[in-house]
Amino acid sequence: MSAEGDMDVEVEMESLSKLKEEEGEVGYGFEDQVPTETFTGITGELLPTLPELEQEALPQAEMVEFNNKPDSLFFNDGKRRIDFMLVYEDEDKKEFEKRHAFQRRKRRRQYFEADLIMRGLELEASRSVLDDKLVFVKVHMPWDLLCTYAEVLHIKLPIQPNDLEHRSSPFTCLTKFFQPNKDIIQPEMEYFTAPFEKSRLESFYIKDHDQFFTPATRSRMAYYILSRAYYEVRGNMKKFGINKLLDRGVYKAAYPLHDCRFNVKSTDAQCPNERYQLYKEWAHPKNFYKMQPLDLIRKYYGEKIGIYFAWLGFYTYMLAVAAIIGLGCFIYGYQTQHTSTWSKEVCDPMIGGNIVMCPQCDRECTYWRLNSTCDSSQKLCIFDNFGTLVFAVFMSIWVTLFLEFWKRYQAQLEYEWDTVEFLEQEEQPRPEYEAKCFHERINPITKVSYTGIKLNLFVLLIIASVVGIIVYRLAVFFTFSSNLRKELKELKELEPLKEYVTPQMATSVTASIISFVVIMILNIIYEKVAIWITDFELPRTRTEYENSLTLKMFFFQFVNYYSSCFYIAFFKGKVVGYPGKPVYWLGRYRNEECDPGGCLIELTTQLTVIMGGKAIWNNIQEVLFPWVKNLVSRYCKNVRTEKVIPRWEQDFQLQAFGTLGLFYEYLEMVIQFGFVTLFVASFPLAPLLAFLNNVLEIRVDAWKTTTQFRRVVPEKAQDIGAWQPILQGMAILAVATNAMIIAFTSDMIPRLVYYWSFSVFPYGDHASHTMEGYINSSLSVFDIRNFSKDSMPLTTPYWYRDFRYPPGHLWEYQHNIYYWHVIAAKLAFIIVVEHVVYLTKFILSYVIPDVPLAVKEQIKREKYLTQVVLHEANLKLVSDCLKPYASKLMEHDEEGSELGLDF
């Protein structure tokens, strides 16, 4: 079977079963031109093979001249609305030697357009004003065809205005200032809706046939037909779909029209100017503080775009609360950094200045004094304090509230946007699925899909990259430790930096930058791999396809983005041995040790570099690239002209949005959500940075969607898809990661153990609980005579960071009682925090209902009205069917009366 979309004749599309019944009701108007035995119209039962029909027998789009109305959204007659545009390059305008190679494309296009016409679409073609080779084909769906496909796709349409009392929010007075200007964007009227049926047309709320189906709905139905129209049939092989023709260059573009220019109102009286309204009140940067006009976004771009911006806006509002608390936590740490007792001891020349520390690498590294880390210890106090612990617990609760309140808001949008029963009723199979799905490719030996093997191979690639970064860190730290201080001393102008540029800091910053660059490169590879594997699996519907791709892509990105952070948080400095017996990577590189204050500051550095770099790169990608491409298209391709350019040609100069454009927007935000929740215990400013980025992100996405891209093909969407369970999984994981960061990465638990147990009798000499002497108790003594030959420094007791017995003790260099107290306290902390937080999350999830009470009432009211409408329609149908029999019975009764018969 062909990989180009071939399909067995016997395989029929289930979604078109009702169309077969309606076929006789739709007037095509070409029965005289095309023999019915070779061209059957809607179902395409027996399209002609290439030799069977002469080109003259095919119905073609009428070629007309542009009528010099640049803002018109209609055919030249001014009555038929343009529902979709197709663009191709005329092969007859090419040179003869090239023209022959493109004849196959021309034949495919002719058959495709003929099939569209036989399905009931109306076509009109016009040549380009700027390039005579380009031809624009306008597609229009007549009323009867709209009604037919509205029933096939189960589209819900108004039956009557919403008569339930609207409950105003108590915060209306506060939010009034942030609402869009009602003079520009008027509130949408609410209706009760029901799935459309042609037989019950009079039951629906129809003011105007031209306005009953919105332009977005019309475009969606037109695209549905375009995705299933045939362009070639050879024996049992059928090839169909506009996407295949776009891939093969038969058409250069296919898109619905914007209704006007984004910054100028249309002169056409029939144009609603919705694009202009969206730009003025939503996409313009000056409106960054305003709420989004979600109803108009959904009406213009469809539910799928609307639900994304609704989620992004809701996420940003919730981040505002977390950002305020996180900023308060940061300010608290900043104000108290100089009052920390243990930090003072590190900086004290009489304490930290007299403690000589063992080298942190072999041979080339030398001894160093503890007070050389004074600055990093003070900076660590900003993030490693009790406020951070409180904030980590708060964020665990915050993420639960965010997800629960989003479910409620999403349920409200599902009802208002008529997507409650979307998955069960509306979604049709993907054309690729209909063409290819005959069997599943399974390994005949293992009976396992090949997908798992491919995933494992690329996960190994990610792990290899992480190991490479670790080896880099080890090698660079060795170099910096031996040379950095010397170079700073030799360069007098850099002398002030020697207190700040430590080997640990230099290694951390450079490794973070390299890690970010590697992440960006691997992202390109993983994107191609995830799409290839998902295409191989052949999901049935568009939603299933995107969900499958989402899981694979997120899995790759999760390992790619977070692996370095997990390494620093949970592995670095945990298995290092002690100076006389260090642990080596790959038998060569000595394992990294943390700064005496812990690895928390390095984790903060890693998060700052990745989050900041990712935000900057994404904004460059989203703003600069489309703008430059459109600039090149307009000014480098001789587009500067004084000619009147029609609406469809103006849109053709814009960039195509792409089938996965929205997918990358979700992925960007979900990765950010992971940084905000998984590692927030080490970086309380993460929610603030995310909030500021998202305020900009909303307007950047709105700006590029409205001004730089062609209008997106409207699609239905019930929710945010597979991203919802991913967010829930990350919320659960965040509780564990933050508890473990505080327990194992932060130095908080050892300090608490010292304060409550080892500062007083029987382990300490102080009369009351205190932090004095903590630094000395957190260090162990090492006899330099016990250095191994390989690790002994070249320069001639000496301390290292660990909890071990000193030399000469019965249990020399083994872990002491303090170590086991600390381990017990860490495990107890993780267990208690996780159970308390998970219990709180469970209670909140149970208490907060997923669907608001008002929405439940509206759903019940709508179902009741739908039943009433259907009941009345059925009664009328029965009454209409019985009328002929009733009239005959009356006539018979009258004849009997005249004869004197009593019936």
Side-chain angles (χ1 to χ4, degrees):
M1 204 50 68
S2 172
E4 298 179 348
D6 304 334
M7 181 177 180
D8 197 289
V9 172
E10 298 175 356
V11 178
E12 299 296 339
M13 293 178 285
E14 297 178 1
S15 58
L16 295 179
S17 59
K18 189 167 289 187
L19 283 176
K20 295 178 181 179
E21 301 173 2
E22 301 284 352
E23 183 177 347
E25 300 178 17
V26 182
Y28 305 116
F30 289 96
E31 288 81 5
D32 296 336
Q33 300 180 32
V34 182
T36 56
E37 65 270 19
T38 59
F39 212 130
T40 59
I42 279 185
T43 57
E45 294 280 353
L46 186 61
L47 281 171
T49 54
L50 294 178
E52 290 180 12
L53 269 178
E54 297 294 335
Q55 293 184 5
E56 290 75 15
L58 293 174
Q60 299 294 322
E62 180 185 2
M63 184 69 70
V64 298
E65 294 293 331
F66 171 51
N67 58 6
N68 290 321
K69 295 181 179 179
D71 295 331
S72 177
L73 303 175
F74 296 84
F75 282 20
N76 273 12
D77 58 14
K79 297 178 181 179
R80 291 175 290 175
R81 174 179 290 274
I82 301 172
D83 297 318
F84 222 88
M85 290 298 305
L86 303 174
V87 186
Y88 67 88
E89 194 170 10
D90 190 357
E91 291 78 10
D92 293 334
K93 294 291 183 179
K94 297 180 180 292
E95 296 82 359
F96 177 79
E97 60 272 13
K98 294 183 179 179
R99 202 189 316 158
H100 179 73
F102 294 103
Q103 288 306 308
R104 183 176 180 85
R105 292 183 182 177
K106 181 177 181 180
R107 289 194 296 269
R108 284 181 167 180
R109 186 177 61 251
Q110 289 174 337
Y111 279 97
F112 181 74
E113 292 181 5
D115 190 32
L116 294 180
I117 294 173
M118 298 306 297
R119 290 170 184 263
L121 295 175
E122 297 178 4
L123 308 181
E124 183 179 86
S126 297
R127 289 201 177 273
S128 168
V129 173
L130 302 174
D131 185 355
D132 194 50
K133 295 179 183 178
L134 291 179
V135 177
F136 293 85
V137 180
K138 295 164 273 187
V139 179
H140 169 75
M141 293 190 69
W143 171 257
D144 285 343
L145 199 64
L146 287 170
C147 293
T148 298
Y149 276 91
E151 185 172 357
V152 169
L153 298 178
H154 302 278
I155 294 177
K156 299 182 75 174
L157 293 166
I159 52 177
Q160 76 169 50
N162 190 334
D163 57 0
L164 292 179
E165 182 181 355
H166 181 71
R167 300 176 183 177
S168 60
S169 170
F171 303 103
T172 302
C173 296
L174 298 176
T175 60
K176 185 177 181 181
F177 176 73
F178 303 100
Q179 294 289 344
N181 189 343
K182 293 184 178 180
D183 295 333
I184 298 178
I185 299 180
Q186 298 179 355
E188 294 286 330
M189 188 173 181
E190 296 183 5
Y191 294 94
F192 290 120
T193 60
F196 183 80
E197 294 184 33
K198 286 180 67 175
S199 60
R200 301 180 175 90
L201 188 61
E202 65 281 356
S203 303
F204 289 87
Y205 192 78
I206 304 177
K207 285 186 176 180
D208 184 354
H209 281 200
D210 294 334
Q211 303 296 327
F212 183 59
F213 296 101
T214 65
T217 303
R218 298 172 66 107
S219 297
R220 184 160 71 92
M221 289 190 282
Y223 183 74
Y224 179 85
I225 300 175
L226 292 171
S227 299
R228 287 157 175 79
Y230 295 97
Y231 61 83
E232 185 174 325
V233 175
R234 288 180 176 272
N236 292 336
M237 295 189 303
K238 293 184 178 181
K239 303 179 182 181
F240 62 91
I242 184 63
N243 292 330
K244 292 293 182 182
L245 296 179
L246 289 171
D247 292 340
R248 287 160 174 74
V250 178
Y251 286 99
K252 297 180 69 68
Y255 53 91
L257 286 181
H258 281 298
D259 61 1
C260 64
R261 286 184 286 176
F262 68 87
N263 55 351
V264 179
K265 277 190 174 183
S266 173
T267 57
D268 192 331
Q270 300 183 66
C271 177
N273 287 295
E274 291 173 347
R275 185 189 186 195
Y276 171 79
Q277 296 169 7
L278 287 171
Y279 176 75
K280 294 292 290 183
E281 289 299 306
W282 177 50
H284 200 286
K286 70 177 183 180
N287 297 315
F288 71 94
Y289 63 92
K290 289 189 176 181
M291 300 176 70
Q292 302 183 89
L294 294 176
D295 287 334
L296 184 57
I297 296 171
R298 171 251 180 169
K299 180 181 177 183
Y300 191 75
Y301 289 114
E303 288 76 10
K304 191 171 184 178
I305 297 287
I307 201 75
Y308 164 72
F309 281 105
W311 177 81
L312 180 57
F314 186 83
Y315 170 47
T316 304
Y317 296 148
M318 292 292 291
L319 273 177
V321 179
I324 293 172
I325 305 298
L327 181 61
C329 180
F330 175 81
I331 294 173
Y332 168 78
Y334 185 82
Q335 294 295 329
T336 59
Q337 63 176 320
H338 299 291
T339 62
S340 172
T341 304
W342 65 272
S343 180
K344 288 180 179 179
E345 291 185 348
V346 171
C347 299
D348 192 336
M350 302 304 296
I351 302 176
N354 290 328
I355 297 178
V356 180
M357 303 294 293
C358 289
Q360 291 185 307
C361 67
D362 295 336
R363 300 186 67 79
E364 295 293 338
C365 296
T366 185
Y367 302 98
W368 52 283
R369 295 190 181 275
L370 183 61
N371 66 347
S372 64
T373 62
C374 174
D375 184 70
S376 62
S377 297
Q378 290 180 342
K379 295 297 182 289
L380 182 62
C381 293
I382 299 175
F383 304 102
D384 192 3
N385 54 66
F386 292 110
T388 304
L389 171 61
V390 174
F391 184 61
V393 175
F394 165 79
M395 286 300 295
S396 299
I397 305 301
W398 173 89
V399 72
T400 301
L401 293 174
F402 163 65
L403 293 175
E404 292 302 317
F405 286 135
W406 165 247
K407 288 179 185 177
R408 290 171 58 84
Y409 187 46
Q410 184 174 257
Q412 179 181 345
L413 293 177
E414 284 179 12
Y415 168 74
E416 293 178 354
W417 294 356
D418 298 323
T419 60
V420 175
E421 299 175 349
F422 161 62
L423 293 180
E424 290 79 7
Q425 292 186 0
E426 284 192 41
E427 193 165 23
Q428 307 297 325
R430 295 167 58 237
E432 295 85 351
Y433 176 86
E434 294 172 339
K436 300 178 183 178
C437 188
F438 296 104
H439 57 83
E440 183 181 2
R441 299 184 190 179
I442 300 294
N443 189 313
I445 307 299
T446 63
K447 301 300 183 183
V448 178
S449 172
Y450 296 118
T451 302
I453 300 175
K454 296 180 179 69
L455 285 173
N456 293 335
L457 290 175
F458 288 100
V459 169
L460 290 176
L461 177 60
I462 300 175
I463 296 174
S465 68
V466 175
V467 172
I469 297 296
I470 294 172
V471 171
Y472 165 83
R473 296 174 68 97
L474 300 176
V476 168
F477 178 74
F478 175 85
T479 304
F480 283 159
S481 297
S482 58
N483 301 325
L484 188 61
R485 294 294 187 185
K486 296 178 183 178
E487 294 175 358
L488 289 176
K489 288 181 179 179
E490 292 174 0
L491 299 173
K492 299 296 184 182
E493 61 273 14
L494 298 179
E495 182 70 19
L497 298 177
K498 71 178 184 179
E499 295 183 3
Y500 304 99
V501 185
T502 62
Q504 290 93 342
M505 188 273 288
T507 301
S508 177
V509 172
T510 56
S512 298
I513 294 173
I514 292 176
S515 178
F516 172 73
V517 174
V518 172
I519 286 171
M520 293 295 103
I521 294 173
L522 290 178
N523 278 348
I524 300 173
I525 299 174
Y526 298 145
E527 172 189 331
K528 306 296 184 184
V529 172
I531 294 174
W532 176 58
I533 294 175
T534 308
D535 289 340
F536 177 84
E537 291 176 347
L538 201 64
R540 178 178 177 273
T541 65
R542 182 71 183 175
T543 299
E544 291 176 2
Y545 179 88
E546 293 186 353
N547 289 348
S548 178
L549 178 61
T550 296
L551 292 175
K552 293 178 183 60
M553 195 66 145
F554 176 76
F555 178 72
F556 284 140
Q557 300 283 27
F558 182 91
V559 180
N560 195 22
Y561 274 106
Y562 303 140
S563 54
S564 58
C565 296
F566 275 103
Y567 164 72
I568 295 173
F570 305 125
F571 296 99
K572 183 183 176 183
K574 302 302 183 290
V575 185
V576 295
Y578 58 92
K581 193 177 180 181
V583 176
Y584 291 89
W585 266 80
L586 306 176
R588 178 181 177 184
Y589 298 100
R590 180 170 167 176
N591 208 350
E592 271 190 296
E593 297 183 33
C594 290
D595 188 89
C599 286
L600 196 70
I601 194 69
E602 291 190 43
L603 180 57
T604 303
T605 303
Q606 181 81 2
L607 290 171
T608 304
V609 170
I610 294 180
M611 282 191 69
K614 184 173 179 294
I616 294 171
W617 174 248
N618 286 335
N619 284 320
I620 291 175
Q621 262 188 321
E622 294 179 8
V623 177
L624 190 60
F625 288 1
W627 182 76
V628 169
K629 287 180 181 178
N630 287 330
L631 195 66
V632 169
S633 176
R634 285 193 296 266
Y635 294 99
C636 295
K637 295 183 179 180
N638 299 321
V639 175
R640 288 174 290 180
T641 180
E642 296 181 357
K643 294 180 180 179
V644 177
I645 304 176
R647 169 80 269 135
W648 48 84
E649 195 155 359
Q650 295 177 43
D651 285 3
F652 179 69
Q653 296 169 7
L654 301 177
Q655 297 298 309
F657 190 76
T659 55
L660 296 176
L662 206 58
F663 170 83
Y664 298 114
E665 304 296 343
Y666 273 117
L667 181 62
E668 175 189 352
M669 289 296 103
V670 171
I671 293 295
Q672 181 204 87
F673 180 82
F675 284 122
V676 169
T677 56
L678 294 177
F679 308 102
V680 74
S682 66
F683 192 35
L685 287 181
L688 177 62
L689 295 181
F691 171 76
L692 296 177
N693 175 78
N694 288 6
V695 170
L696 178 65
E697 181 74 18
I698 292 174
R699 304 305 157 179
V700 166
D701 288 349
W703 176 81
K704 72 175 184 180
T705 303
T706 307
T707 66
Q708 302 301 307
F709 288 94
R710 298 170 190 155
R711 190 170 181 176
V712 183
V713 178
E715 292 185 61
K716 279 278 189 179
Q718 187 180 35
D719 47 36
I720 61 175
W723 301 111
Q724 184 84 18
I726 287 175
L727 293 175
Q728 292 172 342
M730 295 177 72
I732 295 173
L733 181 61
V735 178
T737 56
N738 284 296
M740 293 175 68
I741 286 173
I742 294 172
F744 293 105
T745 311
S746 165
D747 217 27
M748 188 177 300
I749 301 300
R751 292 199 297 266
L752 288 174
V753 170
Y754 176 82
Y755 180 83
W756 290 108
S757 298
F758 284 81
S759 64
V760 296
F761 181 82
Y763 300 109
D765 300 328
H766 298 282
S768 60
H769 299 288
T770 180
M771 285 300 297
E772 292 181 7
Y774 167 73
I775 289 298
N776 191 60
S777 70
S778 67
L779 301 175
S780 299
V781 178
F782 181 76
D783 189 342
I784 61 174
R785 291 173 297 182
N786 294 328
F787 270 121
S788 65
K789 184 178 179 180
D790 294 331
S791 60
M792 181 178 293
L794 297 178
T795 59
T796 332
Y798 306 104
W799 302 80
Y800 61 99
R801 191 172 188 271
D802 207 342
F803 304 111
R804 295 178 185 267
Y805 289 110
H809 194 277
L810 179 62
W811 295 321
E812 183 181 58
Y813 298 136
Q814 294 186 27
H815 288 114
N816 58 23
I817 189 66
Y818 192 176
Y819 171 83
W820 298 110
H821 273 265
V822 169
I823 290 295
K826 288 181 176 181
L827 295 177
F829 173 82
I830 292 175
I831 293 172
V832 171
V833 169
E834 284 188 350
H835 280 70
V836 170
V837 174
Y838 282 139
L839 178 61
T840 306
K841 290 165 68 72
F842 173 78
I843 294 174
L844 289 174
S845 301
Y846 180 78
V847 170
I848 302 174
D850 291 346
V851 182
L853 179 61
V855 174
K856 289 181 179 178
E857 293 177 351
Q858 290 177 327
I859 292 175
K860 291 179 180 179
R861 173 67 174 164
E862 184 173 274
K863 287 184 176 179
Y864 168 75
L865 288 175
T866 303
Q867 291 174 355
V868 170
V869 168
L870 294 178
H871 178 67
E872 292 178 351
N874 288 333
L875 287 178
K876 184 176 181 181
L877 181 62
V878 172
S879 177
D880 292 341
C881 292
L882 292 178
K883 276 184 180 179
Y885 300 101
S887 60
K888 289 182 179 179
L889 184 61
M890 291 295 295
E891 292 175 0
H892 187 66
D893 186 43
E894 291 176 359
E895 291 176 358
S897 299
E898 293 175 358
L899 296 175
L901 301 176
D902 186 6
F903 290 96

